């Protein structure tokens, strides 16, 4: 069984993290009957990682420019950043797209000497698995896809849908936090205090202890929040503590990605190749940002897909988006596992992915979490039955634990 996280996340480090958290003991058939192979794709983690010396987003550069001068400054910085990445990494920067990476996976299969792989992918890796299945029909025995993404719509529609999902997740966090003993802000108006912190940080950036990072603006805090919403039992309490600490004048915790395996540069560079670029002027960006702000009064639309769009403005390497949406011949029916409430992807994205893989089933899970196999006995049971016997749950099944 091949594990891949991709898009800036090291699958090797993800597996190590899961192992430290008891994965082998709880996994059942997955670890008892399958050889687990974690792969860092080209440009990511331990595999010829892309490194750039220019900062991804330095002080004074905004992904939400308020005027044409700020927009031009963002584009100029992105060009400088890309030039630096190309100088340091060479042609690799232009070849970390989905199609190139899928071809690497085929080389891994050949190297392993197996006729078919079992694919286990989360988030970006759902797109990579789908792309691999289309390029190499018949090479997959099973496909387990968690927190599937939907790239069958326009890039702007994807940003709007992700913004809506993240804002709903934040509202669920705030409601939980106000009444939970596990929350450092219990009894507070959490959303109001978060908004006040963001506004204050936009006026006067909040310092980071030790001088290891520039002070954080409100935009920075908003941009870091989405990843803190991904696993309710773990990252929600951590987000509350980070807010309290930042209120006291130390934004250190906001600079620490709760996942711990993501490299933001290695997230952005593939995104600049995989996504079409529908925004090229300040006026277009301004219309989008006003629309996002209306939908997301707390996070303001500061989500991964918007950061990719803003960070790729002016990017000198042409995009190579995969054509998506058509049914794929030669792919196995997939088990698509989708949370009912998730900050990174709407529940409907699971159905969009399943529709491309004939015979697939969406297994819903009531909850807010990203990595459901580790957290849900129901999901584990359904996944292991699918892996061993290739039997899918009934369409419409929802896990409640």
């Amino acid at each position: 069984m091949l594990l891949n996280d991709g898009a800036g996340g090291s699958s090797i480090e993800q597996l190590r993290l899961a192992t430290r958290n008891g994965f082998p003991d709880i996994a059942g058939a997955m670890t008892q009957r399958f050889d687990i192979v974690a792969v860092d794709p080209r440009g990511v983690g331990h595999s010829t990682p892309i490194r750039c010396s220019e900062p991804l987003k330095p002080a004074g550069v905004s992904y939400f420019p308020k005027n044409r001068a700020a927009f031009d400054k963002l584009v100029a910085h992105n060009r400088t950043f890309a030039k630096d990445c190309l100088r340091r990494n060479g042609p690799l920067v232009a070849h970390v797209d989905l199609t190139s990476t899928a071809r690497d996976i085929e080389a891994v299969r050949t190297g392993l000497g197996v006729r078919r792989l079992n694919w286990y992918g989360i988030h970006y890796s759902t797109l990579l698995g789908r792309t691999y299945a289309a390029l190499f029909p018949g090479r997959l025995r099973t496909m387990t896809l968690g927190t599937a993404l939907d790239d069958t719509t326009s890039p702007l529609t994807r940003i709007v849908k992700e913004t809506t999902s993240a804002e709903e997740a934040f509202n669920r966090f705030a409601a939980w936090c106000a009444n939970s003993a596990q929350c450092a802000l219990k009894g507070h108006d959490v959303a109001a205090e978060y908004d006040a912190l963001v506004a204050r940080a936009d006026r006067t950036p909040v310092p980071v202890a030790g001088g290891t990072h520039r002070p954080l603006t409100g935009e920075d805090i908003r941009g870091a929040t989405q990843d803190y919403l991904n696993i309710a039992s773990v990252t929600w309490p951590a987000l509350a503590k980070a807010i309290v600490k930042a209120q006291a004048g130390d934004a250190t915790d906001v600079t620490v990605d709760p996942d711990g395996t993501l490299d933001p540069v290695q997230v952005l560079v593939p995104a600049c190749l995989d996504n079409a670029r529908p925004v090229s002027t300040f006026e277009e960006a301004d219309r989008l940002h006003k629309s996002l702000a209306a939908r997301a009064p707390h996070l303001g639309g500061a989500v991964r897909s918007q950061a990719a769009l803003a960070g790729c403005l002016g990017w000198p390497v042409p995009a190579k988006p995969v054509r998506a949406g058509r049914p794929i011949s030669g792919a196995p029916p997939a088990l698509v596992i989708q949370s009912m409430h998730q900050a990174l992807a709407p529940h409907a994205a699971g159905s969009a992915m399943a529709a491309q893989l004939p015979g697939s089933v969406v297994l819903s899970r009531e909850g807010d979490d990203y990595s459901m196999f580790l957290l849900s006995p129901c999901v584990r049971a359904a996944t292991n039955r699918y892996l061993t016997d290739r039997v899918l749950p009934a369409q419409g099944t929802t896990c409640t634990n």
Side-chain angles (χ1 to χ4, degrees), residues 71 74 134 160 248-249 269 314 341 399:
F71 179 85
L74 169 62
V160 168
V269 175
H341 316 282
C399 287

Side-chain angles (χ1 to χ4, degrees), residues 163-188:
T163 290
T164 302
S165 294
E167 187 75 6
E168 290 174 353
F170 177 84
N171 289 334
R172 287 173 63 82
F173 155 75
W176 164 86
C177 197
N179 298 292
S180 173
Q182 295 178 304
C183 178
L185 288 165
K186 182 184 179 184
H188 294 235

Side-chain angles (χ1 to χ4, degrees), residues 6-94:
S10 167
S11 302
I12 293 168
E13 296 307 320
Q14 286 276 355
L15 181 56
R16 286 174 174 162
L17 178 63
T19 298
R20 289 195 298 271
N21 286 282
F23 166 68
D25 295 332
I26 67 169
M30 182 183 285
T31 51
Q32 293 165 7
R33 300 184 61 177
F34 292 83
D35 296 318
I36 310 295
V37 180
V39 177
D40 282 359
R42 55 171 67 190
V44 172
H46 299 273
S47 182
T48 55
I50 290 174
R51 304 290 188 203
C52 309
S53 57
E54 283 286 326
L56 188 63
K57 189 166 79 77
V61 170
S62 172
Y63 279 175
F64 293 84
K66 291 183 169 50
N67 51 52
R68 190 169 285 103
F71 179 85
D72 292 343
K73 186 175 184 179
L74 169 62
V75 172
H77 167 70
N78 289 347
R79 287 175 176 153
T80 300
F81 174 79
K83 183 178 179 180
D84 173 68
C85 290
L86 286 163
R87 179 181 60 81
R88 290 172 59 89
N89 302 278
L92 176 63
V93 169

Side-chain angles (χ1 to χ4, degrees), residues 82-156:
K83 183 178 179 180
D84 173 68
C85 290
L86 286 163
R87 179 181 60 81
R88 290 172 59 89
N89 302 278
L92 176 63
V93 169
H95 298 281
V96 288
D97 56 287
L98 280 167
T99 299
S100 297
T101 304
R103 295 189 186 281
D104 285 348
I105 299 301
E106 176 62 3
V108 171
R109 184 197 66 80
T110 302
L112 289 171
V114 296
R115 187 168 66 89
R116 291 187 297 175
L117 294 167
N118 296 281
W119 184 273
Y120 190 97
I122 305 176
H123 198 247
Y124 165 90
S125 189
T126 64
L127 303 181
L128 181 57
R130 186 274 324 272
T131 303
Y132 177 81
L135 286 173
F136 301 102
R139 308 289 170 82
L140 292 174
R141 174 181 171 272
T142 62
M143 295 181 73
T144 306
L145 307 174
T147 311
L149 298 179
D150 178 11
D151 61 349
T152 63
T153 60
S154 73
L156 294 183

Side-chain angles (χ1 to χ4, degrees), residues 158-303:
R158 290 174 67 183
I159 293 172
V160 168
K161 288 184 176 181
E162 186 181 351
T163 290
T164 302
S165 294
E167 187 75 6
E168 290 174 353
F170 177 84
N171 289 334
R172 287 173 63 82
F173 155 75
W176 164 86
C177 197
N179 298 292
S180 173
Q182 295 178 304
C183 178
L185 288 165
K186 182 184 179 184
H188 294 235
D189 186 335
V190 179
E193 293 201 18
Y194 177 87
D195 292 345
L197 172 63
V198 167
R200 190 184 96 197
D202 275 333
R203 293 191 301 271
T204 306
V206 182
V208 172
T212 57
H213 194 288
R214 63 175 173 79
L216 299 192
T217 65
E219 180 182 318
D220 296 327
I221 293 170
R222 279 175 159 173
T225 300
Q226 185 184 24
D227 282 348
Y228 271 97
L229 297 170
N230 283 330
I231 301 179
S233 62
V234 177
T235 58
W236 285 15
L239 175 57
K241 291 176 182 176
I243 293 170
V244 170
K245 195 169 179 178
Q247 287 174 324
D250 180 2
T252 301
D253 288 0
V254 184
T255 67
V256 179
D257 190 292
D259 183 294
T261 68
L262 291 176
D263 183 304
V265 169
Q266 294 164 19
V267 172
L268 178 68
V269 175
C272 290
L273 301 178
D274 288 331
N275 296 294
R277 301 168 194 168
V279 168
S280 59
T281 67
F282 167 69
E283 289 75 17
E284 291 169 339
D286 192 48
R287 282 196 296 272
L288 172 63
H289 296 155
K290 287 176 179 174
S291 171
L292 298 181
R295 291 173 176 271
H298 302 301
L299 299 187
V303 295

Side-chain angles (χ1 to χ4, degrees), residues 244-393:
V244 170
K245 195 169 179 178
Q247 287 174 324
D250 180 2
T252 301
D253 288 0
V254 184
T255 67
V256 179
D257 190 292
D259 183 294
T261 68
L262 291 176
D263 183 304
V265 169
Q266 294 164 19
V267 172
L268 178 68
V269 175
C272 290
L273 301 178
D274 288 331
N275 296 294
R277 301 168 194 168
V279 168
S280 59
T281 67
F282 167 69
E283 289 75 17
E284 291 169 339
D286 192 48
R287 282 196 296 272
L288 172 63
H289 296 155
K290 287 176 179 174
S291 171
L292 298 181
R295 291 173 176 271
H298 302 301
L299 299 187
V303 295
R304 286 193 188 184
S305 55
Q306 189 279 331
L309 181 144
C312 297
L313 287 167
W315 197 258
V317 182
K320 307 174 184 179
V322 169
R323 186 177 177 185
R326 295 175 296 180
I328 294 171
S329 176
L335 175 62
V336 183
I337 309 167
Q338 206 80 358
S339 279
M340 297 297 291
H341 316 282
Q342 224 290 308
L344 289 170
H347 181 260
S351 297
M353 176 59 73
Q356 298 171 73
L357 303 164
S360 297
V361 166
V362 177
L363 174 63
S364 301
R365 195 249 177 161
E366 184 57 49
D368 305 82
D369 300 314
Y370 168 86
S371 185
M372 291 161 279
F373 184 87
L374 292 175
L375 300 167
S376 167
C378 172
V379 169
R380 281 198 296 277
T383 302
N384 281 327
R385 187 181 185 208
Y386 171 61
L387 283 173
T388 54
D389 301 324
R390 287 186 288 180
V391 174
L392 291 163

